[in-house]
Amino acid sequence: MSESLSALHQELAGVVLVDRSLDEVLTEIVQIARRGLPGSDASSITLIRDERAYTAAYDGQLAMDADELQYDRGYGPCLDAGRSGEVFIVADMRSEERWPDYARSGAEVGVRSSLSMPLPFQGATIGALNNYAGRPEAFGDGDVMAAEEVAAFVAIAVANAEASARANDDVANMRRAMVSRAVIEQAKGILMERYKTTPEQAFTLLTHASQRSNVKLRDVADELTTTGVLRGS
């Protein structure tokens, strides 16, 4: 393993994933990518969600400009890498024939060569790590190896963020459920006292009021505890 690749590993290992937004983490990673790929003048991370591609983080305006040219067209090396899972190297934009229209526009904004590495995620790809240079043939085998390492770490960061989001959603849903249950129990208590009913009968009154008014049970209970009025009664 080369010294530069070892240094890249050390930098990636130092990225903190916990209690940070995904945008913040990806911005740090893309900065590491730009430093870690000798040929890169600018780097970016494209994520594809529901067929929509966007730049989640970038370091260097050249990367953003090149990304936007591809998004406008709906094709290009970064999009095709993200969709197909293949690595695409453009040695010289001025002679590139796979995406001639994009290549001409890319050369006009200063891109001469690029390396697009897919982001692996649970057996699929979710986007690409994009690297751009202002000179032709800027990317070699060392850059490809470094880009593979960074892309794998991006996938880990995305997976961590999604797991955290799911956990937060679960906690929020649990809290909402607890609040709803507390309100409903309070409303039942009011009806039991008011009409001298059993808990089951009080709950039936609430559900009937909810059904008649087409209002959620929790909202009917909340209204009763707040105003003393049972909707529809």
Side-chain angles (χ1 to χ4, degrees):
M1 183 181 296
S2 69
E3 183 176 336
S4 60
L5 200 57
S6 297
L8 177 63
H9 281 167
Q10 290 180 357
E11 281 208 80
L12 290 173
V15 176
V16 176
L17 301 178
V18 180
D19 295 329
R20 299 176 71 192
S21 69
L22 181 60
D23 289 347
E24 184 180 0
V25 171
L26 293 184
T27 295
E28 182 176 357
I29 293 174
V30 84
Q31 291 170 348
I32 292 173
R34 182 181 180 181
R35 294 194 300 268
L37 273 69
S40 184
D41 293 325
S43 298
S44 66
I45 295 170
T46 293
L47 293 182
I48 301 175
R49 300 288 177 87
D50 299 324
E51 297 301 317
R52 186 181 71 87
Y54 65 97
T55 299
Y58 71 99
D59 188 19
Q61 187 61 42
L62 187 65
M64 177 60 83
D65 292 342
D67 286 354
E68 291 293 340
L69 288 174
Q70 296 172 75
Y71 303 154
D72 290 344
R73 289 164 172 76
Y75 62 83
C78 86
L79 291 178
D80 289 353
R83 290 167 177 159
S84 70
E86 295 184 37
V87 179
F88 290 109
I89 295 178
V90 176
D92 193 335
M93 288 287 177
R94 292 169 296 187
S95 58
E96 174 57 48
E97 297 180 351
R98 290 169 293 184
W99 309 277
D101 178 57
Y102 158 69
R104 283 193 299 271
S105 298
E108 288 174 1
V109 299
V111 180
R112 290 293 180 270
S113 56
S114 67
L115 165 62
S116 299
M117 177 68 61
L119 304 176
F121 184 72
Q122 297 181 351
T125 51
I126 55 172
L129 171 68
N130 315 305
N131 307 278
Y132 302 98
R135 62 190 183 283
E137 301 181 354
F139 300 101
D141 292 342
D143 296 283
V144 173
M145 292 177 61
E148 286 177 344
E149 297 292 334
V150 175
F153 199 86
V154 170
I156 292 171
V158 171
N160 180 79
E162 293 198 348
S164 178
R166 285 194 298 271
N168 289 337
D169 287 344
D170 289 343
V171 171
N173 290 335
M174 186 180 298
R175 286 174 177 167
R176 284 194 292 269
M178 292 174 65
V179 170
S180 294
R181 180 175 179 180
V183 170
I184 291 170
E185 289 299 317
Q186 186 178 355
K188 283 168 57 180
I190 293 173
L191 295 177
M192 289 166 61
E193 175 65 25
R194 180 178 299 175
Y195 298 114
K196 309 304 179 185
T197 67
T198 65
E200 293 77 11
Q201 291 169 332
F203 185 75
T204 298
L205 289 173
L206 285 173
T207 58
H208 285 177
S210 172
Q211 293 165 11
R212 285 194 302 268
S213 58
N214 196 29
V215 174
K216 291 180 180 179
L217 179 63
R218 194 263 187 210
D219 294 336
V220 170
D222 187 57
E223 184 178 25
L224 175 60
T225 59
T226 303
T227 67
V229 176
L230 178 62
R231 183 178 288 264
S233 63

